[in-house]
Amino acid sequence: MPRYMTLVRIDESKAPAEGPSEALMQRMGELIEEMTKAGVLLDTGGLHPSSEGTRVHYENGEITVTDGPFAESKEVIGGYAIIQAKDRAEILEWTKRFLKVHEEHWTVTSEIREIAEG
């Protein structure tokens, strides 16, 4: 079965300063448990805010290093999941369910990419 990585993008400017609510974390935990029992969730994790990150950029033979926060970025990767699904339809359903556990004030996008095998 193909494996997919979902990159969870959030708008940090719209995310609550205190982070996810307890209710959100509970709903997310329940979904993660369901996905684990179903045998589709291989790995998942959240990331610290971009203010704690560093970007390393290579262009024209030169390396530049920039510490966060990154003013030009509105949407950042907040987490990821690696999911094994039978097809695109199944990964889409799991991804939609994940997005729906968030409260309405969140702006969340999941980018789904199939992992190249071999």
Side-chain angles (χ1 to χ4, degrees), residues 9-103:
R9 298 180 184 273
I10 62 169
D11 183 338
E12 284 186 316
S13 69
K14 294 183 180 178
E18 66 278 4
S21 68
E22 287 184 35
L24 169 57
M25 294 307 293
Q26 181 176 341
R27 289 189 304 274
M28 194 176 298
E30 290 167 358
L31 180 60
I32 287 171
E33 183 177 343
E34 181 182 347
M35 293 174 75
T36 301
K37 286 181 180 176
V40 298
L41 184 63
L42 303 179
D43 191 20
T44 187
L47 301 175
H48 286 269
S50 66
S51 62
E52 298 175 24
T54 302
R55 282 190 183 160
V56 182
H57 180 76
Y58 179 76
E59 184 175 3
N60 297 322
E62 298 292 324
I63 297 275
T64 57
V65 178
T66 307
D67 290 329
F70 311 111
E72 69 278 4
S73 294
K74 181 177 175 186
E75 193 177 73
V76 298
I77 298 173
Y80 70 93
I82 298 177
I83 299 170
Q84 183 169 290
K86 63 182 179 233
D87 55 28
R88 190 173 189 280
E90 183 180 17
I91 185 68
L92 280 172
E93 284 308 309
W94 285 116
T95 301
K96 289 176 187 177
R97 289 188 60 195
F98 171 77
L99 293 177
K100 288 181 180 179
V101 302
H102 293 79
E103 291 100 354

